[in-house]
Amino acid sequence: LDTLVLSQSPSNNETHQERLERLEGDKESLVLQVSVLTEQVEAQGEKIRDLEASLEENSDKLLSTEEMLQQELLSRTSLETQKLDLMDEVSCLKLKLVSMEEEQDPAHRDDKQRKAEALLQELRVLKTKVDELESEKLQYDRTLKATKNHVVVRACKTPVPYMHVHCVRIKRTQSGSFRADSLPHGDFKRRGVRSTTGPSVAHMGDTAHDVNTPFSKWSCDQVCVWLEDYGLGQYIPMAKQWVSSGQTLLSASPHDFEKELGIKHPLHRKKLQLGLHAISSASSETSAKLDHVWVTRWLDDIGLPQYKDQFHEARVDGRMLQYLTVDDLLLLKVSSQLHHLSIKCAIRVLHANKFNPNCLKRRPGEESQPSPSEVMQWSNHRVMEWLRAVDLAEYAPNLRGSGVHGGLIILEQSFNEESLAVLLSIPPQKTLLRRHLATNFHSLVGAQAQRDKVHFLESPGYAPLSTTAKVRPKKLGFSGFSHLRKKRPDDSTDYVCPLEPLQDESLRNGTRQPRTDLGPVQDGDTEGREQVGPPLC
């Protein structure tokens, strides 16, 4: 037995020795890992200290910058106050100067009175001469009407160029810009003196009726002058080759306009069709007095100046605003759902004010608490002035190019204080600031409009207004291909804002709330643009 124990003990000793060596090796590796981790922790600690130091430095810089900004705002406010004071002083000085001149120079005042009496006498003489000229003009018109039938009977024997020159002189005689005897003898020349840069179609039609010449009887030169005044002068060379009389345009189709006149732009064809329809039906629309130049200024007022080039290129005038379709807006590169709503509400404001060109208010008035009907006429700039008045001046510049105006705020039920806060870029965490905006917004729109907005918010099919939603073109199914040859793209009746006269009156009286079913476009919407259906208003 002793021999067996002695023989097993060396093997046990070796096993314990190996374990001890292995443990020693593990211990050394652990010590090495601990040292490495310690170094890494120290390095991270240094980085944290550096970041804290840089954070403190940036915080100091931010505080100093805020202090400088506050001082700048205070200085600017003081400068504006001083400017107003100086303007008041200048006005007072001017009034004093005028009063002193009147008191110290009675002879000069008498001289002015004598000159005024002389001018009145000359005015009476001129008025008498004008009456004589009017009587001569009436006599000339009677003579002209008497000889007109004889000229028409011999029209087939009369040279065409002579008739064209004669008719053009008759038409231009009625213009207030110059007299007929100032025209040179010989062939008629375009691009002469014009009374305006964009006369309305109704005015041109009235001129034609004054001389008892319907549009269908107009000569080629008269039609070319009308195209120039109507803003479509680029098509005059083709018109000279194709148009023989006004009847050529009246009986032409959109395909003829595209083929014979080279009018490729769909909105130019639409503008020409609307003008011809107004002349042929002898209708007089107030919107016809607003030319395409006024429309570009109107885009500034409603806060959409980024579309001025497209509207100017398409020659969109006041009449076309009434017949704009969703396809037209997409052709004008207006794809934002919010901008569609902005244009729709702005057109409705024009309808409510009978297309008065000065209906939008650009500057604050004397009213302390404006009514909703007055707010509806606010321009984009006037809304920014209101933001400055309610202590939100730092966010007011964010409304530039947003399309926010008084009509959108009052008439669009889906536009609420949350939509305005998003457009102003007020962070959601600034709850007090948003609450301040909501309080002033509710006070601005009035109790009735606010109740309508809340009711719309609680409706079952409500979808929040997104400032980034896009309006996509309507997708045609297989059944729609059969109508492509029958209906052209510029024949669409999906108007943005069709408004009948009766609806116009009820809107101005405040007895009817408009439909606002222009909802946001979802990615899974197979119809694409069915939310903008006729009618919208």
Side-chain angles (χ1 to χ4, degrees):
L1 181 62
D2 294 338
T3 305
L4 180 62
V5 171
L6 290 175
S7 63
Q8 291 180 353
S9 60
S11 61
N12 291 334
N13 291 334
E14 291 178 357
T15 302
H16 291 302
Q17 188 67 25
E18 289 175 356
R19 290 181 180 176
L20 183 60
E21 290 176 356
R22 187 167 59 254
L23 291 174
E24 288 292 338
D26 294 341
K27 177 182 178 182
E28 292 177 358
S29 63
L30 290 174
V31 170
L32 181 60
Q33 291 179 6
V34 168
S35 61
V36 171
L37 290 175
T38 304
E39 292 177 356
Q40 291 179 355
V41 169
E42 292 178 354
Q44 294 296 331
E46 292 179 359
K47 289 183 180 179
I48 291 173
R49 287 192 293 272
D50 294 339
L51 290 175
E52 289 178 350
S54 62
L55 179 61
E56 292 178 358
E57 183 179 356
N58 290 330
S59 300
D60 296 337
K61 289 182 179 179
L62 179 61
L63 291 175
S64 62
T65 304
E66 289 179 351
E67 292 177 356
M68 292 173 61
L69 179 61
Q70 190 68 22
Q71 293 176 0
E72 181 68 21
L73 290 175
L74 292 175
S75 62
R76 183 175 297 179
T77 305
S78 63
L79 288 175
E80 290 180 354
T81 305
Q82 293 176 6
K83 177 183 175 182
L84 293 175
D85 294 340
L86 289 174
M87 291 175 67
D88 291 338
E89 292 180 2
V90 169
S91 301
C92 294
L93 290 175
K94 287 183 179 179
L95 292 174
K96 290 181 180 179
L97 179 61
V98 171
S99 61
M100 291 176 63
E101 288 179 352
E102 292 179 352
E103 292 176 358
Q104 296 179 2
D105 197 1
H108 183 64
R109 185 170 62 253
D110 296 339
D111 187 27
K112 284 185 177 180
Q113 186 175 1
R114 286 193 299 271
K115 289 182 179 180
E117 293 176 355
L119 288 175
L120 288 175
Q121 185 65 26
E122 292 180 2
L123 184 62
R124 295 190 189 97
V125 174
L126 290 175
K127 185 177 180 181
T128 305
K129 291 182 179 179
V130 169
D131 294 337
E132 294 175 355
L133 291 174
E134 287 292 335
S135 61
E136 293 178 2
K137 175 185 173 183
L138 293 175
Q139 185 178 358
Y140 174 75
D141 289 339
R142 286 193 296 269
T143 305
L144 180 63
K145 291 177 182 178
T147 58
K148 180 182 176 182
N149 293 331
H150 179 66
V151 173
V152 172
V153 170
R154 301 183 57 187
C156 59
K157 300 180 181 180
T158 306
V160 175
Y162 174 77
M163 288 187 67
H164 286 182
V165 175
H166 186 64
C167 292
V168 172
R169 287 181 181 177
I170 292 172
K171 172 178 177 275
R172 302 303 285 183
T173 302
Q174 304 300 323
S175 175
S177 58
F178 57 94
R179 296 176 56 185
D181 55 4
S182 64
L183 284 172
H185 296 287
D187 294 335
F188 178 80
K189 295 182 179 180
R190 293 192 306 105
R191 301 186 183 276
V193 181
R194 290 167 55 199
S195 59
T196 59
T197 58
S200 64
V201 177
H203 175 73
M204 296 297 293
D206 294 340
T207 303
H209 287 298
D210 290 342
V211 295
N212 291 331
T213 305
F215 185 83
S216 59
K217 303 291 185 180
W218 282 17
S219 66
C220 177
D221 288 333
Q222 284 179 292
V223 172
C224 291
V225 172
W226 177 75
L227 287 174
E228 176 74 23
D229 292 337
Y230 198 43
L232 300 175
Q234 64 267 39
Y235 304 110
I236 288 178
M238 298 289 289
K240 285 186 173 182
Q241 300 177 11
W242 176 59
V243 175
S244 59
S245 65
Q247 185 61 36
T248 306
L249 293 182
L250 292 176
S251 59
S253 64
H255 177 71
D256 295 331
F257 294 148
E258 183 177 0
K259 179 182 177 182
E260 304 295 343
L261 290 180
I263 303 179
K264 304 297 183 183
H265 202 301
L267 293 182
H268 288 183
R269 293 195 296 269
K270 184 172 186 175
K271 179 182 177 75
L272 182 57
Q273 287 179 280
L274 290 174
L276 293 174
H277 176 73
I279 289 181
S280 61
S281 61
S283 61
S284 178
E285 295 176 323
T286 311
S287 60
K289 299 179 181 179
L290 310 178
D291 59 6
H292 63 278
V293 178
W294 178 88
V295 171
T296 57
R297 296 196 298 267
W298 173 76
L299 289 172
D300 273 326
D301 289 337
I302 66 174
L304 296 175
Q306 61 268 38
Y307 302 115
K308 289 170 63 176
D309 293 339
Q310 292 89 325
F311 274 70
H312 186 272
E313 180 184 357
R315 296 296 190 270
V316 178
D317 55 13
R319 181 186 286 114
M320 289 184 68
L321 288 178
Q322 296 186 88
Y323 301 99
L324 273 181
T325 65
V326 177
D327 291 331
D328 294 338
L329 289 183
L330 293 175
L331 187 63
L332 292 167
K333 299 181 181 180
V334 184
S335 59
S336 171
Q337 176 204 353
L338 178 62
H339 294 172
H340 276 242
L341 289 172
S342 175
I343 293 175
K344 183 195 75 171
C345 294
I347 295 175
R348 292 186 54 234
V349 172
L350 289 176
H351 274 290
N353 291 275
K354 297 182 179 180
F355 282 85
N356 179 8
N358 301 315
C359 63
L360 294 183
K361 303 298 186 294
R362 300 176 179 85
R363 292 288 183 271
E366 298 180 356
E367 67 277 2
S368 58
Q369 182 62 35
S371 63
S373 60
E374 294 172 337
V375 175
M376 190 173 65
Q377 298 178 349
W378 281 9
S379 66
N380 177 259
H381 182 78
R382 179 65 184 89
V383 175
M384 290 194 289
E385 291 292 335
W386 169 75
L387 288 172
R388 295 186 180 97
V390 296
D391 299 327
L392 293 173
E394 62 270 25
Y395 298 101
N398 294 333
L399 285 189
R400 292 194 182 103
S402 64
V404 176
H405 53 88
L408 179 69
I409 293 176
I410 299 296
L411 299 176
E412 180 52 46
Q413 295 180 355
S414 62
F415 189 87
N416 50 31
E417 64 274 10
E418 292 297 327
S419 307
L420 184 58
V422 172
L423 290 172
L424 292 175
S425 299
I426 299 178
Q429 58 270 23
K430 293 190 175 182
T431 54
L432 292 178
L433 199 59
R434 288 203 169 204
R435 192 180 305 167
H436 172 72
L437 173 64
T439 302
N440 287 278
F441 184 85
H442 297 166
S443 175
L444 180 69
V445 300
Q448 179 62 40
Q450 183 58 29
R451 281 195 296 269
D452 294 336
K453 291 179 184 293
V454 172
H455 179 71
F456 181 78
L457 180 67
E458 296 173 352
S459 60
Y462 168 76
L465 177 62
S466 174
T467 59
T468 58
K470 301 295 183 181
V471 177
R472 296 193 300 270
K474 183 178 179 180
K475 297 180 181 179
L476 291 177
F478 287 103
S479 60
F481 287 102
S482 60
H483 303 285
L484 290 180
R485 293 186 180 180
K486 300 179 181 178
K487 188 173 182 180
R488 299 175 58 87
D490 40 333
D491 294 335
S492 174
T493 57
D494 189 12
Y495 296 129
V496 173
C497 186
L499 196 63
E500 299 298 330
L502 181 61
Q503 295 173 327
D504 182 13
E505 185 68 24
S506 62
L507 175 61
R508 287 187 290 109
N509 294 335
T511 59
R512 185 183 62 87
Q513 285 298 325
R515 287 180 58 189
T516 55
D517 50 355
L518 180 58
V521 179
Q522 303 296 334
D523 294 337
D525 187 4
T526 57
E527 294 297 330
R529 197 179 28 78
E530 283 298 323
Q531 72 282 0
V532 195
L536 287 179
C537 299

